[in-house]
Amino acid sequence: MTVNETVEEFFLVCRQALAAVSEGSGEGGNEVLTQLGWWELPAAFDDPEARGAMFALFRAAGRENADVGALPALLAAPYLDDANASGAVAAAITRRSLRRGSVHTLVGPTDAQLLLVDTPGKGVALVPMSGVEFASVDIPGRLTLREVTFDPASAEPLLDEAAARDARARSLYAGRVALAFDLVGTAEAAMDLAVEYAKVREQFGVPIGTFQAVRHILAWGFTDCASAASAAELARDLALDPPERLGEVTKALAGRNARRACQRSLQALGGIGFTQEHDHHLSYSRALALDSLLGTSAQLTRELGTWLKAEQPELGYASRALFA
Amino acid sequence: MLPTTPDAAAAVDPAAFAAELEAWLQTRPPAVVRASEHVADYPTRVRIMQDLMQVLWDEGFVRYGWPVEVGGLGGSFLHRAAMWEGLARHGVLGMNLFEHVEVLLPTLVELGPPDFTAEHVPLYLSGQEIWSQGFSEPGAGSDLAALRTKAVADGDGYRISGQKIWTSWSVWADWCCVLARTGTTESRHRGITAFIVKLSDPGVEVRGIWQANGNEELAEVFFDDVFVPADRIVGELDGGWRVAMHILSHERGTFAWFRHNFLYQQLIEFGASSEDAPEFLLGDALLDLVAATACSANGVKEHAAGEILGPRACTNKLMLCTAEQSVQDAILAGDVDLAVGVQDELTDLMRQEYLFSRIVTVYGGSQQMQLETIAKQVLKLP
């Protein structure tokens, strides 16, 4: 079997297992990750097959709207690696709130004993979970998102600022690519609902999927998903030596396209898609929440433009994409 | 210098090829410098490109990535990809009529008559001969299978009568790959054959079309009882549809890859260099460009594996066109002179590019046809 075939097969296994969780049968998302052997995969990042399987989980989670604690573990792995540390550690994502300033967020459920917090300029610290306070953010659907606060005095330094930089870059890259895969899966789930609906919902005596206005909206939505997926796969394949800013591009593209695909599929669904009885809004909310993490598409897109102006970088990703 | 004998060339892998090319480009060869200058006059640009191809042939670079049987030195598309990227990186903003090297030529090499391609592919790759393709007709645009140009058997060949329109570069071309009907009109896509027509032959008349961007790149071509020998059929008799699909498939793989290099160069040279360019639009254009690149990378890999791209590849075409328009939108937003009109040679050239980007969603299978193909064949909508 080729690497791609193995990864595709793992993706399908992940989907099946996570679908069972989302339907309420079986155990929680993190238990599924244990059964799948997923927790060992971030440490095997250098191996294309392991890396492919590792990221495939995120696409499957998006597709099944599953609640898993994979992202905090993946984000923590590069720091632990550089600090020669190990153990159950979950990394928080820090974002800026317009009204509340800096906010630490933990994505998904976690059994980790330690919270990892990276503060650019100040280095990386570990905080015992026992002293962390959690405040759940209300997201329709199954994604757990908690804002965390802790006493800074309880933080133990893990890496100083100089030592943290390299791990920070790797963590951000892996996290952004993982979020891109989750966003792709999320958008695909929203599109699936709309495509199936267009085949059965009738108006004027025929399925609405016979009208070009509807067909083309859905074809654009498919293209949004397919192009974001291609970029995420490219970023995955180039992960060991990525061209400058490919992580930012991948995340921004996935966030933008996922929001577009959700909007297009909502338009095809009509009013039913704007109700709580229909699942579409769960995917839409998930897409919005994921887009907000590690840089929104709006922020990243603007930053990429600033970078293009300042550096006028040479075409670099092109040949690497092909030779990969 | 690169080896120019097939045996020695076989040892030059794409990375070594790219390094050799880069070393050569660093010497600032005059033909490359000239091709990177901002020249508004299209016929002059055509000659500059012909000169560039001649030099690339003499140095051997453009012979890599093509089979020995047609004058190439072997290797794969990776060699060609490295060449286009290198040229773009050194300031070449497009290849105008040699775009057919990545649209028509792969099909011609694979399905064309071997004796003919052995003689004429080297002449094309060295800039001495030029190609066009005749697909669309006044009554057959998106519905290509409705084409009516007829080819009637006559002795050891065929006589072609009819009219083609929107053929790119026929004004300059020596040869045109023409789709003509060898079956009945009702036979639709089954009764079509691809012929190689010499545009200087008696009975052929080419009339340029002055486009909204000021160029005469497109043309109408009229055929009045034009004789074409039977050994100038591409593919098989009545197999023209397959030839057309083969060409369009390449447009979604190798051409999309080829094109993104030059779009990126334009984004940097015309867009990112402008202090007035809105950062968000520059960033957004980069997103579309990387999306198109990533899609076409998959297409290229499928081509390399000998596959013809399926209906999913319509996304490649959609993304390439989206990227082309996003790039030019960002450039326009950063240079208001472009919107005002032609003031000098640079604004003339940039306006040509901007305006051309408005039509990319029409040619080579319109955006609506791509969407319809996805809706029907991928999404399986009723």
Side-chain angles (χ1 to χ4, degrees):
Chain A
M1 251 194 328
T2 67
V3 171
N4 282 348
E5 286 165 352
T6 310
V7 169
E8 178 66 19
E9 194 174 279
F10 188 76
F11 170 68
L12 295 174
V13 171
C14 288
R15 271 194 74 176
Q16 205 170 15
L18 292 172
V21 178
S22 293
E23 284 159 15
S25 58
E27 296 167 282
N30 284 353
E31 285 69 32
V32 170
L33 263 56
T34 302
Q35 288 158 22
L36 292 167
W38 185 88
W39 302 107
E40 284 76 50
L41 294 176
F45 197 78
D46 289 1
D47 177 58
E49 201 166 285
R51 189 168 67 245
M54 194 276 291
F55 282 126
L57 178 276
F58 288 94
R59 190 170 181 173
R63 194 71 171 245
E64 303 302 337
N65 203 349
D67 193 21
V68 293
L71 188 64
L74 174 62
L75 289 169
Y79 298 104
L80 297 176
D81 204 23
D82 284 10
N84 283 319
S86 61
V89 178
I93 291 174
T94 307
R95 69 173 183 92
R96 202 182 74 82
S97 154
L98 179 63
R99 280 167 290 277
R100 292 177 290 133
S102 189
V103 173
H104 302 298
T105 308
L106 197 55
V107 182
T110 182
D111 307 323
Q113 302 300 306
L114 293 165
L115 178 74
L116 185 148
V117 180
D118 181 5
T119 313
K122 294 181 181 168
V124 184
L126 292 177
V127 181
M129 283 288 187
S130 52
V132 173
E133 288 189 36
F134 298 92
S136 286
V137 180
D138 189 18
I139 302 175
R142 309 182 190 101
L143 186 67
T144 302
L145 215 139
R146 290 175 293 177
E147 291 182 356
V148 294
T149 46
F150 53 88
D151 177 6
S154 67
E156 291 283 335
L158 180 72
L159 291 167
D160 65 23
E161 177 59 19
R165 284 198 193 104
D166 194 58
R168 180 180 299 148
R170 276 148 46 220
S171 174
L172 269 176
Y173 187 84
R176 283 176 172 143
V177 177
L179 283 165
F181 274 107
D182 199 329
L183 281 159
V184 167
T186 301
E188 287 172 334
M191 281 299 303
D192 280 354
L193 294 170
V195 169
E196 292 317 306
Y197 184 75
K199 290 174 183 173
V200 294
R201 166 67 175 169
E202 293 192 1
Q203 284 290 273
F204 305 101
V206 290
I208 60 169
T210 58
F211 301 121
Q212 280 198 333
V214 174
R215 296 162 76 81
H216 290 191
I217 282 178
L218 294 174
W220 271 124
F222 174 81
T223 303
D224 294 331
C225 296
S227 56
S230 293
E233 287 161 4
L234 176 67
R236 171 198 68 194
D237 293 345
L238 299 181
L240 296 188
D241 181 23
E244 215 176 340
R245 311 271 172 147
L246 186 61
E248 285 89 335
V249 168
T250 305
K251 172 69 180 20
L253 180 68
R256 185 194 77 174
N257 283 18
R259 283 188 290 107
R260 282 184 185 173
C262 285
Q263 175 57 41
R264 296 194 215 269
S265 49
L266 175 59
Q267 185 67 29
L269 285 164
I272 191 69
F274 191 60
T275 65
Q276 292 196 350
E277 73 181 272
H278 195 280
D279 278 352
H280 183 271
H281 77 289
L282 304 177
S283 296
Y284 211 149
S285 286
R286 186 185 182 100
L288 293 176
L290 297 180
D291 185 34
S292 75
L293 302 171
L294 301 181
T296 68
S297 54
Q299 291 163 347
L300 293 172
T301 301
R302 193 187 154 81
E303 284 168 21
L304 286 165
T306 304
W307 169 66
L308 284 178
K309 260 182 161 171
E311 308 280 333
Q312 302 194 15
E314 271 193 352
L315 191 60
Y317 53 83
S319 49
R320 277 195 255 185
L322 212 53
F323 295 131
Chain B
M1 188 166 158
L2 281 170
T4 50
T5 58
D7 288 347
V12 181
D13 68 28
F17 175 86
E20 285 280 351
L21 176 77
E22 182 59 27
W24 179 70
L25 290 168
Q26 294 282 357
T27 68
R28 305 298 293 142
V32 178
V33 172
R34 183 74 177 126
S36 64
E37 287 167 0
H38 301 145
V39 177
D41 184 60
Y42 198 86
T44 305
R45 287 219 297 282
V46 168
R47 283 195 298 280
I48 289 170
M49 280 304 138
Q50 288 183 278
D51 293 345
L52 176 61
M53 292 297 282
Q54 179 73 65
V55 171
L56 291 169
W57 175 270
D58 292 342
E59 296 287 332
F61 294 112
V62 78
R63 297 177 67 188
Y64 282 78
W66 298 103
V68 175
E69 292 74 22
V70 296
L73 293 166
S76 73
F77 176 72
L78 293 180
H79 293 87
R80 279 143 58 190
M83 187 180 75
W84 303 128
E85 187 191 313
L87 290 172
R89 210 155 16 78
H90 285 264
V92 177
L93 298 174
M95 295 298 295
N96 63 51
L97 37 67
F98 292 98
E99 288 189 350
H100 263 323
V101 171
E102 294 299 348
V103 180
L104 176 62
L105 196 56
T107 302
L108 208 56
V109 166
E110 200 172 320
L111 302 175
D115 289 348
F116 180 88
T117 51
E119 184 183 347
H120 292 279
V121 170
L123 294 171
Y124 182 46
L125 287 177
S126 59
Q128 299 174 65
E129 285 188 346
I130 289 167
W131 280 80
S132 67
Q133 66 186 25
F135 282 16
S136 295
E137 299 181 3
S142 289
D143 185 10
L144 185 61
L147 65 86
R148 298 166 70 107
T149 293
K150 270 192 85 67
V152 179
D154 180 23
D156 57 353
Y158 293 81
R159 291 202 170 269
I160 295 181
S161 295
Q163 179 191 353
K164 293 291 172 181
I165 194 167
W166 314 126
T167 74
S168 299
W169 305 301
S170 281
V171 172
W172 289 277
D174 301 276
W175 300 97
C176 185
C177 180
V178 176
L179 293 181
R181 189 154 295 288
T182 37
T184 61
T185 311
E186 295 71 43
S187 64
R188 298 277 297 169
H189 60 276
R190 290 180 300 278
I192 294 171
T193 303
F195 294 93
I196 298 169
V197 179
K198 192 173 191 181
L199 290 177
S200 60
D201 271 351
V204 180
E205 188 193 345
V206 177
R207 291 184 206 157
I209 298 170
W210 287 101
Q211 300 154 204
N213 71 341
N215 290 335
E216 198 189 9
E217 198 174 296
L218 302 170
E220 291 177 285
V221 186
F222 299 86
F223 305 90
D224 181 13
D225 214 26
V226 178
F227 183 77
V228 180
D231 60 5
R232 276 208 246 121
I233 287 175
V234 181
E236 292 172 359
L237 186 66
D238 293 332
W241 193 256
R242 182 174 164 241
V243 174
M245 292 307 110
H246 199 276
I247 290 170
L248 292 178
S249 171
H250 270 283
E251 193 177 354
R252 284 150 207 175
T254 58
F255 174 73
W257 183 270
F258 159 93
R259 184 70 187 147
H260 93 268
N261 293 291
F262 302 105
L263 293 177
Y264 185 82
Q265 188 62 24
Q266 290 195 30
L267 180 66
I268 296 301
E269 193 169 330
F270 294 147
S273 66
S274 159
E275 61 179 289
D276 292 345
E279 285 81 4
F280 189 87
L281 288 189
L282 288 175
D284 208 42
L286 182 65
L287 300 191
D288 286 330
L289 206 43
V290 174
T293 306
C295 288
S296 65
N298 290 338
V300 166
K301 284 172 190 165
E302 286 170 45
H303 273 299
E307 296 166 24
I308 293 292
L309 306 188
R312 293 177 72 93
C314 288
T315 56
N316 301 6
K317 168 88 174 157
L318 288 169
M319 281 317 301
L320 181 66
C321 294
T322 298
E324 181 132 11
Q325 295 187 339
S326 299
V327 166
Q328 294 297 336
D329 284 339
I331 291 170
L332 181 77
D335 190 344
V336 75
D337 284 352
L338 288 186
V340 174
V342 174
Q343 293 114 62
D344 51 29
E345 185 141 35
L346 181 61
T347 50
D348 190 355
L349 176 68
M350 289 171 72
R351 270 179 69 87
Q352 287 175 33
E353 294 290 335
Y354 173 78
L355 290 170
F356 185 78
S357 75
R358 302 302 102 180
I359 198 71
V360 297
T361 41
V362 171
Y363 73 73
S366 72
Q367 189 177 70
Q368 283 60 43
M369 292 304 293
Q370 310 298 328
L371 293 169
E372 198 50 36
T373 302
I374 292 169
K376 189 175 175 182
Q377 297 188 41
V378 181
L379 302 180
K380 312 282 186 199
L381 290 170

